């Protein structure tokens, strides 16, 4: 498992096409001229401005940085998670195994000590981030577990999961079994945990986002606007706005602060719409994510391109938002894109079995 490895997953090009595609990179690698007196100032701890990580034997579906920004975790169709150094040459440092099916989502706990995985084998795994060993399983779902999230400001033992069994379940690693469950009418494909742990947001094949009160275990509200399945939910660092990715080809932000009037004539929860990303017939659960300062958003896209938008470029609802970066390089669907929590670095994972990590200029 090296930082430069196997070729792309679906290679159907002619020899000429292969030569042409090999010249396209997610980020421009440094040349010899970059080391001269007029070289560009480096903005990260990476050994090179762009790194390609190879080692997975199947499509890479999810990524997560630990809160300290020292380790990158990737989850794959091959039923494993690989841990990588987030800086330097991005060496592979460990393998998390134990699941019997694809890993669809992964999160670090807020103390960076544990990793929680969501899998198509109906289970969630809790791993020691240092040793790479599984220390617990969350069992209780009766369908594929599509997503998992943690409570940023709460105890590191808390997590919430979303499943095809039409439930979102609350978990506490300190106790056995689930500690709560929200039942919906349709399969739940995305979930987000409010920073304070009092609200859980879910999205599914009904195209709606639902907010649930954790203390009273009841439905608080429903936000409508997407016209197809919601594939991912992500709260901004302040916890005031929710980002959603949908198979309708849009990313949207929603104002989830209390006391926002969503009635006719009042301020609507829907804030902004981001266009440019695409979904395809694979119907993958493509992710979405915020930068650590909340100024940029990104999300997976089926066009093999990493899209990054300026979240502050528009203040009006449903207006076109400036796209800051459109980065090619992958040869398969981009399933996940995330920002480094401390540095000006972005990581992307694709169905071509590879991961790119690189600086944003």
């Amino acid at each position: 498992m090296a930082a430069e490895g196997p070729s792309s997953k679906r290679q159907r090009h002619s020899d000429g096409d292969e030569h042409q595609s090999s010249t396209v990179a997610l980020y421009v690698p440094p040349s010899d001229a970059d080391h001269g007196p007029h070289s560009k100032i480096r903005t990260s701890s990476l050994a090179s401005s762009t790194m390609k990580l190879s080692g997975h034997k199947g499509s890479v579906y999810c990524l997560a940085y630990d809160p300290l920004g020292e380790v990158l975790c990737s989850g794959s169709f091959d039923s494993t998670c690989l841990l990588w150094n987030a800086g330097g040459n991005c060496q592979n440092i460990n393998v998390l195994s134990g699941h019997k099916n694809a890993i669809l989502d992964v999160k670090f706990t807020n103390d960076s000590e544990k990793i929680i995985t969501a899998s198509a084998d109906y289970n969630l795994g809790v791993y020691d981030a240092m040793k790479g060993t599984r220390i617990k399983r969350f069992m209780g779902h009766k369908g594929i577990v599509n997503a998992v999230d943690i409570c940023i400001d709460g105890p590191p033992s808390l997590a919430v999961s979303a499943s095809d069994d039409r439930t979102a379940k609350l978990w506490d690693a300190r106790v056995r079994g689930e500690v709560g469950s929200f039942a919906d009418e349709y399969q739940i494909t995305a979930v987000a945990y409010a920073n304070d742990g009092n609200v859980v947001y879910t999205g599914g094949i009904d195209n709606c986002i639902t907010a649930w009160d954790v203390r009273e275990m009841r439905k608080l509200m429903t936000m409508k606007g997407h016209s197809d399945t919601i594939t991912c939910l992500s709260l901004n660092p302040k916890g005031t706005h929710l980002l959603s990715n949908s198979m309708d080809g849009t990313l949207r932000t929603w104002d989830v602060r209390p006391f926002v009037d969503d009635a006719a004539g009042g301020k609507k929860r829907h804030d902004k719409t981001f266009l440019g990303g695409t979904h395809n017939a694979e119907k993958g659960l493509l992710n979405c994510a915020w930068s650590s300062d909340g100024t940029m958003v990104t999300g997976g896209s089926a066009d093999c391109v990493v899209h990054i938008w300026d979240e502050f470029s528009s203040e009006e609802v449903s207006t076109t938002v400036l796209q800051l970066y459109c980065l090619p390089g992958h040869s398969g669907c981009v399933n996940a894109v995330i920002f480094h929590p401390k540095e000006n670095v972005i990581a992307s994972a694709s169905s071509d079995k590879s991961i790119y990590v690189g600086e944003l200029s």
Side-chain angles (χ1 to χ4, degrees):
M1 298 172 187
E4 307 227 285
S7 59
S8 303
K9 177 182 178 183
R10 301 172 185 165
Q11 207 70 10
R12 298 181 182 177
H13 309 292
S14 63
D15 292 340
D17 291 337
E18 289 178 356
H19 175 73
Q20 184 177 3
S21 64
S22 66
T23 64
V24 181
L26 184 58
Y27 308 95
V28 179
S31 62
D32 293 338
D34 290 338
H35 300 286
H38 303 291
S39 61
K40 295 181 180 178
I41 299 175
R42 295 294 305 282
T43 60
S44 77
S45 59
L46 295 174
S48 178
S49 59
T50 179
M51 306 290 293
K52 181 179 180 181
L53 313 183
S54 301
H56 281 295
K57 299 178 181 179
S59 299
V60 187
Y61 290 139
C62 51
L63 294 170
Y65 277 110
D66 78 300
L68 300 177
E70 298 175 351
V71 178
L72 175 66
C73 181
S74 58
S76 170
F77 178 78
D78 63 14
S79 307
T80 68
C81 283
L82 298 183
L83 299 185
W84 314 83
N85 279 327
N89 291 318
C90 298
Q91 299 95 336
N92 175 234
I93 55 177
N94 217 329
V95 180
L96 309 183
S97 58
H99 282 292
K100 298 180 181 179
N101 209 327
I103 296 176
L104 303 180
D105 200 8
V106 62
K107 290 290 188 298
F108 278 87
T109 55
N110 56 18
D111 60 2
S112 298
E113 294 185 358
K114 297 180 179 64
I115 299 169
I116 304 178
T117 56
S119 173
D121 65 6
Y122 300 5
N123 298 321
L124 294 97
V126 182
Y127 292 83
D128 186 306
M130 292 294 293
K131 299 178 181 178
T133 56
R134 190 173 68 186
I135 56 180
K136 192 177 183 69
R137 276 197 301 173
F138 292 146
M139 297 182 291
H141 280 298
K142 298 179 180 179
I144 292 172
V145 185
N146 296 309
V148 63
D149 199 17
I150 56 96
C151 182
I152 293 178
D153 296 331
S157 58
L158 299 181
V160 62
S161 58
S163 171
D164 279 352
D165 64 9
R166 300 178 294 177
T167 67
K169 295 186 182 294
L170 298 171
W171 308 92
D172 189 333
R174 297 169 295 187
V175 301
R176 185 175 182 178
E178 66 193 62
V179 295
S181 182
F182 303 107
D184 206 345
E185 298 180 15
Y186 303 94
Q187 290 95 322
I188 303 176
T189 52
V191 69
Y193 216 147
N195 292 356
D196 59 9
N198 293 328
V199 180
V200 165
Y201 302 94
T202 61
I205 65 171
D206 60 351
N207 315 337
C208 298
I209 299 171
T210 303
W212 306 85
D213 189 313
V214 173
R215 292 165 294 187
E216 299 182 4
M217 299 301 293
R218 64 180 180 88
K219 184 182 295 186
L220 286 176
M221 64 176 176
T222 300
M223 296 178 286
K224 300 180 180 179
H226 283 297
S227 59
D228 207 338
T229 299
I230 295 167
T231 62
C232 185
L233 296 173
S234 177
L235 274 166
N236 71 343
K238 294 182 179 179
T240 60
H241 288 74
L242 185 70
L243 178 66
S244 59
N245 194 352
S246 170
M247 291 183 186
D248 62 15
T250 68
L251 276 75
R252 296 174 185 242
T253 53
W254 310 80
D255 191 338
V256 294
R257 292 173 293 182
F259 313 116
V260 173
D261 185 10
D262 198 17
K267 175 176 172 57
K268 293 185 178 295
R269 294 280 180 181
H270 174 219
D271 190 20
K272 299 173 186 175
T273 300
F274 305 88
L275 304 175
T278 62
H279 288 250
N280 60 12
E282 293 181 6
K283 299 293 184 181
L285 298 181
L286 309 186
N287 93 316
C288 57
W290 297 79
S291 60
S292 59
D293 59 2
T295 61
M296 295 183 289
V297 299
T298 186
S301 182
D303 59 3
C304 309
V305 173
V306 174
H307 299 272
I308 303 174
W309 293 269
D310 181 3
E311 207 281 330
F312 286 164
S313 65
S314 171
E315 296 181 357
E316 298 296 327
V317 177
S318 300
T319 56
T320 302
V321 179
L322 175 64
Q323 191 167 168
L324 292 176
Y325 301 90
C326 187
L327 308 171
H330 283 294
S331 60
C333 175
V334 178
N335 298 310
V337 190
I338 57 171
F339 293 94
H340 192 286
K342 305 290 186 181
E343 300 178 359
N344 196 31
V345 167
I346 194 166
S348 60
S350 170
S351 294
D352 63 14
K353 307 179 187 178
S354 71
I355 302 161
Y356 278 108
V357 182
E359 299 172 356
L360 292 175
S361 58

